[in-house]
């Protein structure tokens, strides 16, 4: 059973994917600046897929405005392929963003898609435990960026995989229900401990899961995105008009 949300989500709707990504980039830059005024480092996790590419492009051009050496970058999920594979979430981020900025290699904490999934999920869980600051004794990100699939999946948490949704672990090896592809994914348990979680969702094909999740209706249980409810942190939805097409203005 999902815990009730502690705070109502903040929903921000923009005209198109470019504007939505630009607004989220601005939000992130402001958040980083605020956090680094009071902390030595900033800890963030990003998702894969196509939606974040516009955001990564904006972050690549924020360049000198961000002290990348004080930012630690993690992934929300990864396909179990080598980093140079076109489906690699890390590979895409590296191509569009990371190779254009000066983030120290030791700050880039990729999931090793080329390794055994179960062993890597355990290793990545330990890396999170060892590197992230603790909140009430448990590791917590400053921000986690999520996408949403047409079926309401997020990270690599897919409809019907209830064990992953309620797992006490931070990181799991799973298999994509349609393709059978091995994946590594963070779980709601670690995501919901974040100070801030941002969904970036664009396209009218996602309007239905967005509507059901934001309505918090009983039927939203079938959408893994509905399990993202920060325990004490804030949840933001950055949507374009297409993805927001079925929610009240
Ligand atoms: C992945 C992502 C996944 C993604 C959604 C949306 O590895 O595919 O982490 O959760 O966010 O599938 O993907 P698009 O942005 O491509 O629509």
């Amino acid at each position: 059973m999902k815990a009730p949300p502690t705070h109502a989500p903040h929903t921000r709707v923009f005209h198109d994917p470019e504007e939505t990504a630009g607004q989220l980039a601005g939000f992130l830059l402001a958040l980083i600046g605020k956090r680094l005024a009071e902390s030595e480092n900033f800890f963030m996790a990003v998702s894969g897929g196509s939606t974040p590419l516009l955001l990564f492009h904006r972050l690549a051009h924020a360049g000198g405005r961000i002290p990348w050496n004080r930012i630690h970058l993690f992934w929300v999920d990864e396909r179990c392929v080598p980093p140079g594979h076109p489906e690699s979430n890390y590979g895409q981020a590296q191509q569009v963003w990371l190779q254009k900025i000066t983030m120290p290699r030791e700050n880039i904490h990729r999931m090793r898609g080329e390794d055994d999934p179960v062993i890597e999920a355990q290793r990545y869980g330990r890396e999170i435990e060892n590197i992230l600051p603790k909140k009430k004794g448990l590791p917590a990100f400053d921000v986690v960026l999520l996408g949403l699939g047409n079926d309401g999946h997020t990270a690599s948490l897919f409809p019907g995989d209830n064990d992953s949704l309620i797992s006490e672990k931070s990181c799991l090896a799973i298999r994509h229900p349609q393709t059978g592809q091995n994946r590594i994914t963070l779980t709601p348990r670690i995501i919901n401990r974040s100070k801030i979680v941002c969904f970036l969702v664009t396209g009218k094909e996602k309007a239905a899961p967005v509507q059901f999740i934001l309505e918090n209706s009983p039927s939203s249980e079938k959408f893994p995105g509905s399990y993202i409810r920060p325990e004490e942190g804030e949840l933001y939805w950055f949507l374009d008009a297409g993805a927001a097409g079925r929610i009240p203005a």
Side-chain angles (χ1 to χ4, degrees), residues 46-78:
V46 296
S47 285
S50 57
T51 304
L53 297 179
L54 286 173
L55 171 67
F56 293 166
H57 181 75
R58 295 294 184 103
L59 294 177
H61 291 85
R65 281 190 285 155
I66 301 182
W68 294 113
N69 62 314
R70 295 174 60 192
I71 292 174
H72 284 263
L73 178 64
F74 292 76
W75 270 260
V76 167
D77 66 337
E78 185 56 280

Side-chain angles (χ1 to χ4, degrees), residues 17-247:
E18 289 75 13
E19 184 189 9
T20 310
Q23 290 287 335
L24 178 52
F27 175 85
L28 272 178
L29 297 184
L31 180 65
I32 289 168
K34 180 174 179 294
R35 191 76 73 224
L36 290 182
E38 57 198 27
S39 309
E40 178 54 32
N41 293 304
F42 184 84
F43 300 85
M44 64 189 287
V46 296
S47 285
S50 57
T51 304
L53 297 179
L54 286 173
L55 171 67
F56 293 166
H57 181 75
R58 295 294 184 103
L59 294 177
H61 291 85
R65 281 190 285 155
I66 301 182
W68 294 113
N69 62 314
R70 295 174 60 192
I71 292 174
H72 284 263
L73 178 64
F74 292 76
W75 270 260
V76 167
D77 66 337
E78 185 56 280
R79 293 83 180 278
C80 292
V81 295
H85 190 282
E87 284 194 44
S88 167
N89 288 339
Y90 160 78
Q92 281 192 327
Q94 170 67 9
Q95 191 174 0
V96 174
W97 172 24
L98 302 179
Q99 66 183 8
K100 299 173 181 172
I101 62 170
T102 53
M103 183 181 282
R105 286 179 64 85
E106 62 270 21
N107 289 28
I108 300 174
H109 308 276
R110 71 179 182 93
M111 293 171 168
R112 297 176 55 82
E114 66 274 28
D115 288 355
D116 175 89
V118 172
I119 294 172
E120 175 57 12
Q122 293 166 348
R123 184 199 69 81
Y124 205 76
R126 289 195 301 274
E127 185 162 356
I128 286 173
E129 182 72 30
N130 294 337
I131 291 179
L132 261 59
K134 299 291 191 296
K135 184 173 71 174
K136 294 182 180 173
L138 295 168
F141 286 101
D142 287 307
V143 68
V144 171
L145 302 180
L146 297 175
L148 190 73
N150 302 358
D151 59 358
H153 83 260
T154 192
S156 285
L157 301 163
F158 293 97
D161 181 5
N162 296 325
D163 290 347
S164 298
L165 291 172
I166 60 173
S167 173
E168 293 288 304
K169 293 182 179 175
S170 295
C171 191
L172 296 171
I174 65 101
R175 288 175 69 90
H176 191 293
Q178 276 79 47
T179 67
Q181 184 183 54
N182 285 316
R183 301 250 185 126
I184 297 161
T185 186
L186 299 189
T187 61
R189 177 168 170 74
I190 181 74
I191 294 169
N192 286 335
R193 279 209 296 275
S194 307
K195 293 186 179 77
I196 289 182
V197 178
C198 293
F199 276 101
L200 173 62
V201 187
T202 60
K204 63 182 185 301
E205 69 277 9
K206 304 193 180 172
V210 166
Q211 175 199 3
F212 287 117
I213 293 168
L214 282 176
E215 281 177 349
N216 192 27
S217 61
S219 59
S220 69
E221 294 264 342
K222 66 184 177 188
F223 297 117
S226 70
Y227 283 74
I228 303 305
R229 299 160 170 270
E231 293 153 10
E232 296 177 0
E234 302 286 334
L235 177 59
Y236 288 81
W237 289 81
F238 281 75
L239 306 169
D240 74 344
R246 293 173 55 160
I247 57 176

